[in-house]
Amino acid sequence: MAEKRARGRPATGVREAVIAAAQRILVESGVARLSTKEVAAGAGVAESSIFYHFGDRVGLLQAVIAQHVRPLKEALLDSPGHGELRADLVEVVMTLEQFFHSAIPVIAAIQSDSGLRAKFLERGRDSDLGPHRALDVVVARLGAVPGADRIDLRALALLLVGAAHQRALQRHLSPPAALATLPSADALVDALIPVFPKR
């Protein structure tokens, strides 16, 4: 006989298990399979736990993205950096690329469903969430680099975020031959360095 699930607050670790299951389903099957029933089965929890922790599918997707944003912020804002422009820029590109590589399946899922996208955008506006936040994080990190006051940090952040996103997208979708010609993070930074104002 199956053991009856206790009523009340779900057990510790349920939230993390649900987020991991949702991410796995998005990567393997896309948003069409992202039902609360499917996620609950993948996480080994009651479907009611998803509503308890996240409210609905949009809340769940926001939590999945937040799960990726947290280490991004920690890596870029909590790290003191190297105090040297080139090394800091390379680290920023690599950190952003890793974030995008993990987040692209979630972003694609949101974009592929017009109803889901509209709800996500509405809630994002209410909580001031969106891609502009990546620029804010990069600007904050680079603001401490010596000579940063001579650089348009928002323009630089946009270039770095865009390059990191493109590198992650190519890792997902490009054939091996194209990946072999993809410039490294070091090469990207070396291409940008000469345009910076001299100290």
Side-chain angles (χ1 to χ4, degrees), residues 119-151:
K119 287 180 186 174
F120 195 88
L121 287 171
E122 182 182 336
R123 290 195 199 170
R125 276 193 295 270
D126 293 344
S127 51
D128 195 28
L129 295 173
H132 63 287
R133 286 301 189 188
L135 298 181
D136 294 341
V137 170
V138 175
V139 167
R141 167 63 184 271
L142 295 177
V145 174
D149 57 330
R150 297 186 177 90
I151 301 167

Side-chain angles (χ1 to χ4, degrees), residues 55-119:
D56 58 13
R57 277 199 326 161
V58 175
L60 177 56
L61 285 169
Q62 286 179 316
V64 173
I65 289 179
Q67 185 83 356
H68 295 304
V69 169
R70 194 172 302 113
L72 174 69
K73 282 184 173 177
E74 287 169 3
L76 294 184
L77 296 182
D78 295 346
S79 165
H82 306 280
E84 195 272 314
L85 185 61
R86 184 183 185 282
D88 279 350
L89 292 177
V90 169
E91 185 176 338
V92 165
V93 170
M94 292 176 71
T95 303
L96 285 166
E97 182 181 346
Q98 189 53 51
F99 162 73
F100 282 122
H101 192 261
S102 300
I104 279 173
V106 185
I107 296 166
I110 294 166
Q111 285 296 105
S112 68
D113 183 313
S114 60
L116 197 57
R117 183 173 64 245
K119 287 180 186 174

Side-chain angles (χ1 to χ4, degrees), residues 169-190:
L169 196 60
Q170 287 197 35
R171 283 173 56 196
H172 273 288
L173 299 174
S174 293
L179 289 177
T181 64
L182 190 62
S184 67
D186 293 87
L188 285 169
V189 169
D190 287 341

